[in-house]
Amino acid sequence: MAGNLVEIIRGMGMTDPRLLAAVAATPREQFVPPRSAARAERDEPIPIGHGQPTSQPSLVAQMIDALALTGEDTVLEIGTGYGYQTALLAHLADHVYSVERYADLAEHARANLDAMGVTNVEVVVGDGTAGLPEHAPFDAIIVSAAAASVPGPLAEQLVEGGRLVMPIAAGVADIVTLYAKRQGRLEQRRTVTPAQFVPLVGRHARD
């Protein structure tokens, strides 16, 4: 099934061989509810409970591609879901810390990742807007929910020179935006793509 998604992603202009290999090696049907497995090869979001979707693979790939991971990065992911994006990140980074708001989704993600033999991921239940200061700083941060701005703790926990990708709420669509940290501050580098995300929920969602 993953081969179809590889061709879709390649057709959108993403040619990083490491990213394409990660998609090829990660069967999406293993990271959606069993009742939705037949839809997993389609490039579309799939509901996973709590009003949350797992994003369409091409959008996930665009966000990960923007991070330009080197294989030596420590990555913070906000919004684990069923762990599909987490699994792709695990292929491309040294270590991934992923924060999920809902304990049952975190359990599904852990089971899915374990079944795939992924060992360089730690899934934590908590408030993603607070990040994980005990594991900071992070070389890259990826956020899978939209807010008006980047929560302060996430900006603080990004290493100097690090990259952060997050959808910024902007009227009719959310704008996935790439930031880099320079001289202690986030600088917007480019817009990645318009999309629709669930709102980011947490103590620092409006920082």
Side-chain angles (χ1 to χ4, degrees), residues 15-23 68-73 88 91-93:
T15 58
D16 180 348
R18 294 177 64 246
L19 175 60
L20 296 175
V23 174
L69 299 175
T70 67
E72 300 178 355
D73 312 88
L88 296 180
H91 274 277
L92 300 167

Side-chain angles (χ1 to χ4, degrees), residues 64-108:
I64 293 175
D65 191 53
L67 289 175
L69 299 175
T70 67
E72 300 178 355
D73 312 88
T74 298
V75 178
L76 174 64
E77 177 189 36
I78 307 303
T80 318
Y82 261 51
Y84 178 70
Q85 178 174 269
T86 320
L88 296 180
L89 291 167
H91 274 277
L92 300 167
D94 180 63
H95 198 86
V96 180
Y97 293 95
S98 187
V99 183
E100 172 52 54
R101 184 181 173 207
Y102 296 103
D104 59 328
L105 294 184
E107 280 301 313
H108 283 302

Side-chain angles (χ1 to χ4, degrees), residues 111-183:
N112 294 338
L113 292 163
D114 285 346
M116 291 296 297
V118 177
T119 60
N120 60 333
V121 169
E122 183 175 336
V123 178
V124 178
V125 177
D127 178 355
T129 69
L132 289 174
E134 64 272 30
H135 297 296
F138 301 99
D139 300 299
I141 298 176
I142 186 167
V143 184
S144 297
S149 60
V150 177
L154 301 185
E156 292 166 8
Q157 292 169 33
L158 188 65
V159 72
E160 180 71 17
R163 293 86 61 208
L164 182 149
V165 169
M166 175 178 167
I168 301 299
V172 296
D174 305 315
I175 306 300
V176 179
T177 306
L178 171 65
Y179 297 88
K181 191 169 185 178
R182 295 289 182 270
Q183 297 182 333

